[in-house]
Amino acid sequence: MDAPDPTPAPPPASPPPAAPPQRPAASPRRPGPAPVPLDTPGPPDTAALRDTALPDPALPATVLRDPARRPPEPAPPGIAPALPGAAWAARSAYRMVTGLARACHPLPTAAVTLFATALAAAAGQDLAGVLPVAAAVLAGQLSVGWCNDAVDARRDRAARRRDKPVVSGLVSEGAVRAASLAALALCVPLSLACGAAAGAVHLLAVAAAWAYDLGLKGTALSWLPYAVGFAALPAFVVLGVPGGPAPPWWLPAAGALLGVGAHLGNALPDIAADRATGVHGWPQRLGPRRTRLLTPLPLVLASAVIAAGSPDALGAAGLTVAALTAAAGTAYGRHRPRVPFMAAIAVAGLDVAMLVWRGAALF
């Protein structure tokens, strides 16, 4: 019996792995567009949704389809919407009217018009006679005020007078000039409607004021247009009374003195500025001190003439008050240049009140 072999027998070989089944070859495809990646949806933009204007469902479809009939889109946030044509025109008209109202020298215009109107009523004119007087004087004063601002526009710009509507841009120089010519043209028939003689006298007063604006303002005769204008104004009122009575001598004399005092008092606060811009009228030649001392004299003389024209207790009292007021204005005006001007206005107002109080005694 044979002995066993100590060497172990090798294990039987495993069969080779089966090959994977082969897929049939795919037919070639035509290359297509690259895939577009999709954005990941995020939270909605509420601000964009809020600012987006959606069409009004109440509007007809024809309006929404027609661009010409489509309502205007709202302006972007932070930008003011443009004014429609009508609103822009209304705003421009308002600015022009406001500028013209300020350029006409409203306080002197209103004061002179009210004085002439009150004087006509006190002289016995009825409503049919008072209204033409008021309209003629108002037209004349408007023309003078606008002429003054149109002529002085260059000088006011050089002095940087922002209180002037032409300088501030509220109204153009051409508009002010056109308004002055229109008011002057209207003043002629309104003055003649008060009577031929009365109308001629009033037009003389307006012509004197225009001469002041157009050149006499800067001469030694700057007082003359004021004297002529203030003398002619009460004479115009008296001549317009039915029957055309001649005014008494003292009435134009008092008016002329009142005009000279008004010129001095009006120029006193602006003498330095007028000199700087080339205006050398009578007050500018006199200087601030002499003008301040001289201003009360013609005003008090006007009060004296009015009191002498119809002597009574009222005239004496008015003269006393006028003299005291003028003296106080002169004394306090040494350190306050506006005080003599205010005193001159007070004395002038007193003289006007005395004239109106006389009423029918004016002729």
Side-chain angles (χ1 to χ4, degrees):
M1 183 176 173
D2 294 333
D5 189 0
T7 303
S14 58
Q22 298 291 332
R23 294 182 180 179
S27 60
R29 294 183 179 180
R30 183 177 302 174
V36 179
L38 299 177
D39 294 334
T40 304
D45 187 357
T46 57
L49 292 176
R50 185 174 58 253
D51 296 335
T52 303
L54 298 177
D56 189 356
L59 293 174
T62 55
V63 173
L64 295 177
R65 286 196 301 266
D66 187 359
R69 302 175 62 186
R70 192 175 300 166
E73 297 182 358
I79 300 178
L83 289 175
W88 181 86
R91 183 175 180 180
S92 299
Y94 173 77
R95 283 176 58 87
M96 177 176 291
V97 171
T98 304
L100 289 176
R102 289 176 53 187
C104 75
H105 298 233
L107 290 181
T109 296
V112 174
T113 303
L114 288 176
F115 163 61
T117 304
L119 193 61
Q125 291 270 40
D126 57 5
L127 185 61
V130 169
L131 289 181
V133 170
V137 174
L138 177 60
Q141 291 301 305
L142 288 175
S143 73
V144 172
W146 285 328
C147 175
N148 182 274
D149 267 29
V151 172
D152 289 348
R154 180 184 56 83
R155 189 180 298 112
D156 292 337
R157 289 193 188 98
R160 298 181 180 179
R161 294 283 304 273
R162 301 296 297 177
D163 58 316
K164 293 291 187 177
V166 175
V167 179
S168 64
L170 197 59
V171 67
S172 67
E173 180 181 343
V176 175
R177 184 180 296 106
S180 68
L181 294 175
L184 180 62
L186 185 62
C187 177
V188 175
L190 290 175
S191 300
L192 295 177
C194 301
V201 171
H202 183 246
L203 292 177
L204 174 65
V206 175
W210 271 70
Y212 174 84
D213 289 342
L214 296 178
L216 285 179
K217 178 180 181 178
T219 69
L221 295 177
S222 60
W223 58 272
L224 184 58
Y226 272 83
V228 172
F230 276 73
L233 187 61
F236 156 66
V237 174
V238 173
L239 289 171
V241 175
W249 67 268
W250 56 267
L251 184 59
L257 291 169
L258 187 60
V260 173
H263 174 47
L264 293 172
N266 183 53
L268 180 59
D270 301 321
I271 287 180
D274 289 339
R275 283 176 167 178
T277 55
V279 177
H280 298 288
W282 186 41
Q284 291 79 21
R285 296 166 189 251
L286 290 174
R289 181 177 177 276
R290 286 186 290 180
T291 301
R292 175 174 58 84
L293 295 175
L294 184 60
T295 296
L297 182 59
L299 296 173
V300 174
L301 286 177
S303 303
V305 170
I306 296 172
S310 181
D312 54 15
L314 177 63
L319 176 58
T320 303
V321 173
L324 292 176
T325 303
T330 303
Y332 283 99
R334 181 176 302 175
H335 304 291
R336 298 181 180 181
R338 280 280 175 184
V339 173
F341 174 61
M342 301 303 297
I345 292 179
V347 176
L350 179 62
D351 292 342
V352 169
M354 292 172 65
L355 285 175
V356 173
W357 183 262
R358 297 296 180 188
L362 295 175
F363 49 88

